[in-house]
Amino acid sequence: MTTKNIVFIATSLDGYIADKEGGLDWLHSIPNPDNNDMGYGALIKRVDAIVMGRNTFETVCSFGIDWPYTIPVFVLSTTLKSIPEKYIKQVQLVNGSLTEVLNKIHNMGFNNLYIDGGTTIQSFLKEDLIDEMILTTIPVLLGGGAHLFTNIPKELEFEHVKSELFLNHIVQNHYKRKR
Amino acid sequence: MTTKNIVFIATSLDGYIADKEGGLDWLHSIPNPDNNDMGYGALIKRVDAIVMGRNTFETVCSFGIDWPYTIPVFVLSTTLKSIPEKYIKQVQLVNGSLTEVLNKIHNMGFNNLYIDGGTTIQSFLKEDLIDEMILTTIPVLLGGGAHLFTNIPKELEFEHVKSELFLNHIVQNHYKRKR
């Protein structure tokens, strides 16, 4: 069975996923009157489940909106002891090494995974476990914040799959790991 | 007289301009049998002179090749006392505030400038003096090294001008400052 781990995330031109104050307003700096989803719907159709870190999970919870995901979500955390009751049907807590976590998720029949959240993406990259990256670049220099990419032990080569331009100003590049 | 400061530089997917050892080999990780210049020649036709930092100047000198630039080069440095005799016809040392430096260069009739070198680009961005950025992305995660972008005091919005794909894998995005 082929498995795949896919990153789908937006960064600023200078590679940040959150600004100096942890804010995300800059994600909406380009007007999007028709609510173009910039490939998000197509991505969700391609994956079976989402793996995210505790930070991302808590950020989504904090939005105060209905649970936005239509597919199962696995939250990677060593500190979280349980998932709040209201999310218990949609969300499962997982921990252990990434290999153990992936084995568990694959054994449940979820093979194509959307890997989300800066720390989680980093952990996967450190172990060379990312197969595809769909990176959306918002044309702003934030000048500081949380970097998407930080240190990884070895160089990882990727191949360009395609590029798309959204809303006249937002470039989205799709890469796959060269193996 | 309109003046323009243009960045034209390649980074890794994770935004580095040199790898962990300061190396640049990764710039050539995609085969380029026909020596595609990826827009460099077109850039040089658009500019009147090059402004670079001491690091970049010394790196170019260290290549042991003939002087590669056909237009005047200004080297920004507070530590360098003079330009080596062999480059004296092509290279001028400049220092002072960027405003002073730019005034001097503009007064000599050079209005469209190619701004090169990580530290120099940073200095210009910190003072919001960059008008265009042509960023070429090599599809490799280096996992560490020298970042092109570091801290700047305020957010700077850019507009997308165009994207080009070179050698099937190298995306080049052209942005201009939104003013």
Side-chain angles (χ1 to χ4, degrees):
Chain A
M1 177 61 77
T2 322
T3 62
K4 198 168 272 186
N5 298 324
I6 306 173
V7 165
F8 179 93
I9 200 162
T11 74
S12 65
L13 256 183
D14 41 2
Y16 297 105
I17 53 173
D19 67 24
K20 289 174 187 171
E21 285 77 40
L24 299 172
D25 289 351
W26 54 276
L27 283 173
H28 309 290
S29 55
I30 303 293
N32 188 358
D34 299 324
N35 287 312
N36 187 322
D37 81 350
M38 294 183 245
Y40 179 79
L43 170 82
I44 292 298
K45 283 198 189 121
R46 287 183 60 212
V47 296
D48 309 315
I50 302 173
V51 179
M52 63 174 62
R54 181 183 50 82
N55 279 339
T56 305
F57 174 61
E58 290 180 347
T59 302
V60 173
C61 294
S62 77
F63 288 155
I65 53 172
D66 286 343
W67 185 245
Y69 303 108
T70 52
I71 55 176
V73 169
F74 294 90
V75 173
L76 261 178
S77 177
T78 48
T79 54
L80 213 60
K81 294 303 168 213
S82 65
I83 293 296
E85 186 67 27
K86 61 191 283 201
Y87 302 120
I88 211 109
K89 281 189 182 155
Q90 298 99 330
V91 182
Q92 285 184 62
L93 200 56
V94 283
N95 55 47
S97 71
L98 289 189
T99 309
E100 289 165 353
V101 164
L102 287 174
N103 278 338
K104 179 180 172 177
I105 297 174
H106 296 156
N107 285 336
M108 294 171 76
F110 305 114
N111 294 300
N112 293 300
L113 306 175
Y114 165 21
I115 311 300
D116 201 22
T119 310
T120 302
I121 293 168
Q122 276 307 312
S123 306
F124 274 72
L125 285 173
K126 279 182 179 160
E127 300 187 32
D128 193 9
L129 290 169
I130 294 297
D131 303 293
E132 290 185 33
M133 295 198 294
I134 300 165
L135 304 174
T136 304
T137 305
I138 309 298
V140 58
L141 291 179
L142 295 178
H147 268 120
L148 171 56
F149 298 112
T150 56
N151 284 354
I152 55 172
K154 65 168 185 135
E155 290 188 15
L156 304 177
E157 290 189 322
F158 284 78
E159 293 176 331
H160 181 263
V161 177
K162 66 173 176 174
S163 295
E164 273 186 89
L165 182 67
F166 294 108
L167 309 175
N168 292 320
H169 292 291
I170 298 176
V171 178
Q172 182 178 83
N173 290 305
H174 189 150
Y175 295 99
K176 67 176 180 182
R177 179 77 172 97
K178 186 177 173 184
R179 299 200 192 268
Chain B
M1 176 61 75
T2 321
T3 62
K4 199 168 271 186
N5 298 324
I6 307 174
V7 166
F8 179 93
I9 199 162
T11 73
S12 64
L13 255 182
D14 41 2
Y16 297 106
I17 53 172
D19 67 24
K20 290 174 188 173
E21 285 77 40
L24 299 173
D25 289 350
W26 54 277
L27 284 173
H28 310 289
S29 55
I30 303 293
N32 189 357
D34 299 326
N35 287 313
N36 187 322
D37 80 349
M38 296 183 244
Y40 179 80
L43 169 81
I44 293 298
K45 282 197 190 122
R46 287 184 59 211
V47 295
D48 309 315
I50 302 174
V51 178
M52 62 175 64
R54 183 183 49 83
N55 280 337
T56 306
F57 174 60
E58 290 179 348
T59 302
V60 173
C61 293
S62 77
F63 289 155
I65 54 174
D66 286 341
W67 185 244
Y69 303 108
T70 51
I71 55 177
V73 169
F74 293 91
V75 174
L76 259 178
S77 177
T78 48
T79 56
L80 213 60
K81 296 301 166 215
S82 64
I83 295 295
E85 186 66 26
K86 62 192 284 203
Y87 302 120
I88 212 107
K89 281 190 184 153
Q90 299 99 332
V91 182
Q92 285 184 64
L93 200 56
V94 282
N95 55 46
S97 72
L98 289 190
T99 309
E100 290 165 352
V101 165
L102 287 173
N103 278 339
K104 179 180 172 176
I105 297 174
H106 295 156
N107 285 335
M108 294 171 74
F110 305 114
N111 293 300
N112 293 300
L113 306 176
Y114 165 22
I115 311 299
D116 200 22
T119 309
T120 302
I121 293 168
Q122 277 308 312
S123 306
F124 274 72
L125 285 173
K126 279 181 179 161
E127 301 187 31
D128 193 9
L129 290 169
I130 294 298
D131 302 293
E132 290 186 33
M133 296 198 293
I134 300 165
L135 303 174
T136 304
T137 306
I138 309 298
V140 58
L141 291 179
L142 295 178
H147 268 119
L148 171 57
F149 297 112
T150 55
N151 285 354
I152 56 173
K154 65 169 186 136
E155 292 187 15
L156 304 177
E157 290 189 322
F158 284 79
E159 293 177 331
H160 180 264
V161 177
K162 67 173 177 173
S163 295
E164 272 187 273
L165 181 67
F166 294 108
L167 309 175
N168 292 318
H169 292 290
I170 298 176
V171 178
Q172 183 178 83
N173 291 304
H174 189 149
Y175 295 98
K176 66 175 180 183
R177 179 77 173 98
K178 185 178 174 181
R179 300 198 194 268

